[in-house]
Amino acid sequence: MHTVFVALGSNLGDPVENVRQAIAALAELPQSRFAAASSLYRSAPVDAVDQPDFINAVAQLSTGLAPQPLLAALLAIENRFGRERSFRNAPRTLDLDLLLYDAQCIAGPALCVPHPRMHLRAFVLAPLLELAPECIIPGIGPAAHWLARCSDQVILRLAP
């Protein structure tokens, strides 16, 4: 079994409910066992304007799925939630990003792990560190170190 972390985000429809239902969908993935989910966080869109705020979280799973089939399963969940990719950084009903797959570094045309911008995003790092306080991002370094560098990004942890 492989330990994976998946980032979740939504800013269309009912984002809180979208993220909660997506966490439930992750728990149903084949050959996988749901381990934990972070708190929910509210954050402003990055590199986009005139959009609602996002609701974000991170989930931890153990899976027997290889990286590519796992990515395909994540994309299928996004599609079930009505995800449309009309333009770069478009608003979305659901975004699922494979952040980490064990300590592997994967570089391919369809999948890069660790996620290439995860260390630059407070809305990824804060919930990730909730689940894995000592997390080391392969090839990058300690996640906590990078979160400190994102102090200019405003995120708000939502009450349970």
Side-chain angles (χ1 to χ4, degrees):
M1 295 295 274
H2 303 278
T3 300
V4 300
F5 291 90
V6 177
L8 302 95
S10 175
N11 74 338
L12 290 179
D14 183 344
V16 169
E17 188 60 23
N18 291 345
V19 170
R20 287 187 175 141
Q21 288 184 14
I23 289 168
L26 290 174
E28 300 298 321
L29 285 174
Q31 302 177 46
S32 302
R33 184 178 53 79
F34 179 80
S38 72
S39 302
L40 301 183
Y41 290 79
R42 179 178 307 280
S43 66
V46 175
D47 299 331
V49 294
D50 298 327
Q51 288 188 31
D53 285 351
F54 275 86
I55 299 299
N56 301 100
V58 169
Q60 179 181 355
L61 309 166
S62 294
T63 188
L65 295 172
Q68 290 296 339
L70 177 58
L71 176 62
L74 297 178
L75 293 174
I77 293 171
E78 285 184 351
N79 288 337
R80 284 197 341 242
F81 279 76
R83 170 76 189 263
E84 294 180 12
R85 298 175 189 276
S86 50
F87 57 90
R88 189 178 191 286
N89 295 325
R92 56 207 77 150
T93 53
L94 183 64
D95 185 27
L96 298 175
D97 289 325
L98 180 56
L99 300 175
L100 299 169
Y101 189 95
D102 291 332
Q104 292 187 32
C105 291
I106 302 165
L111 179 63
C112 290
V113 175
H115 188 281
R117 291 172 302 285
M118 69 178 285
H119 64 290
L120 304 174
R121 307 289 194 237
F123 64 83
V124 170
L125 294 169
L128 173 65
L129 286 164
E130 241 188 80
L131 300 177
E134 303 299 320
C135 180
I136 304 295
I137 304 169
I140 304 287
H145 170 79
W146 286 96
L147 180 58
R149 291 182 165 198
C150 296
S151 61
D152 61 327
Q153 298 174 28
V154 178
I155 60 169
L156 174 66
R157 184 176 175 185
L158 302 183

